[in-house]
Amino acid sequence: VTMIQMLRTGKAWLMAWTFVILVGGGTIMTCNIGQMTEALGFDSDLTPASLALFSAAQAASRVVTGSISESALTWDVPWFCGCFATGGSRGVSRASFLVLASLISAASHFALAVATTERGFALGVTLSGWAFGMTWPLMVLITGEVFGTKNLGANYMFFDGFSSAAGTLLLSKFVAQAVYDEHIQNHGDPGAATPEGGNFKCYGTECFRMSHVIVALLSLSCIASSLCVVCKTRDTYRR
């Protein structure tokens, strides 16, 4: 299947939406984690530690996801999980793991939205890194299995490039920055924002809370889009 043919299918755009939000949910962390720790009043040493934790979680997730999703193709599936089966009662389709990644992403950003302690923040960072890491092996494997390997390079790079650009621009740039700036405008007292070299900084739990809530809600929408992908690719995995 060529990239043009792929883009004429509904499942390609369902996958694209899911990847955009999952990738964007990760890049909002990598681009803003320093400001997040600063806004919450944590020690400056927590910023590099949080980045290391995020990186370790997403790296481990890539390895585990690739291995388990391959093994899951031959699992015996309980009757109550039949919607995820490739056919009959045996095998879990690889697309089902997008549902799990979306759940973890939603949980991570809900946790970050209410985090006021270093432990709570670290938990959210770890879960966010895990969901972000799950996305990449699933992206290339599902693309190859659903749309074929003949044009895998072009097809995969569409999802890779589009999700990275759109997710970063939409969530990390527009959403996170708008929420951050709005908090400074609404709480522009000396305790909430201080001028430093012409730039204002935001302090408090509200600086990123709404950003995390928005990402969490969008991740919940990815559960629905992922379930649609599972249904639309069931014949592929049954074969």
Side-chain angles (χ1 to χ4, degrees), residues 156-224:
Y156 165 71
M157 289 310 299
F158 166 77
F159 289 119
D160 184 303
F162 180 70
S163 62
S164 296
T168 302
L169 191 64
L170 174 65
L171 298 180
S172 184
K173 173 65 176 176
F174 292 139
V175 172
Q177 183 172 327
V179 172
Y180 189 89
D181 291 346
E182 181 67 21
H183 181 68
I184 292 175
Q185 293 170 10
N186 288 343
H187 305 276
D189 57 273
T194 58
E196 185 174 296
N199 295 320
F200 285 84
K201 292 187 177 182
C202 178
Y203 296 98
T205 57
E206 297 298 324
C207 298
F208 287 96
R209 175 171 289 169
M210 186 53 63
S211 298
H212 291 306
V213 170
I214 290 172
V215 175
L217 293 175
L218 290 173
S219 296
L220 290 178
S221 77
C222 290
I223 297 175

Side-chain angles (χ1 to χ4, degrees), residues 88-214:
S89 60
R90 190 165 183 82
V92 176
S93 72
R94 194 147 0 227
S96 301
F97 285 84
L98 285 177
V99 180
L100 179 59
S102 300
L103 278 169
I104 296 174
S105 178
S108 71
H109 285 280
F110 276 129
L112 288 165
V114 300
T116 56
T117 65
E118 292 185 359
R119 287 186 179 182
F121 185 76
L123 174 62
V125 168
T126 303
L127 290 175
S128 179
W130 193 270
F132 181 71
M134 287 184 71
T135 308
W136 302 105
L138 293 175
M139 187 185 295
V140 64
L141 291 170
I142 294 173
T143 301
E145 289 166 349
V146 174
F147 300 108
T149 58
K150 183 178 180 180
N151 297 292
L152 176 59
N155 293 342
Y156 165 71
M157 289 310 299
F158 166 77
F159 289 119
D160 184 303
F162 180 70
S163 62
S164 296
T168 302
L169 191 64
L170 174 65
L171 298 180
S172 184
K173 173 65 176 176
F174 292 139
V175 172
Q177 183 172 327
V179 172
Y180 189 89
D181 291 346
E182 181 67 21
H183 181 68
I184 292 175
Q185 293 170 10
N186 288 343
H187 305 276
D189 57 273
T194 58
E196 185 174 296
N199 295 320
F200 285 84
K201 292 187 177 182
C202 178
Y203 296 98
T205 57
E206 297 298 324
C207 298
F208 287 96
R209 175 171 289 169
M210 186 53 63
S211 298
H212 291 306
V213 170
I214 290 172

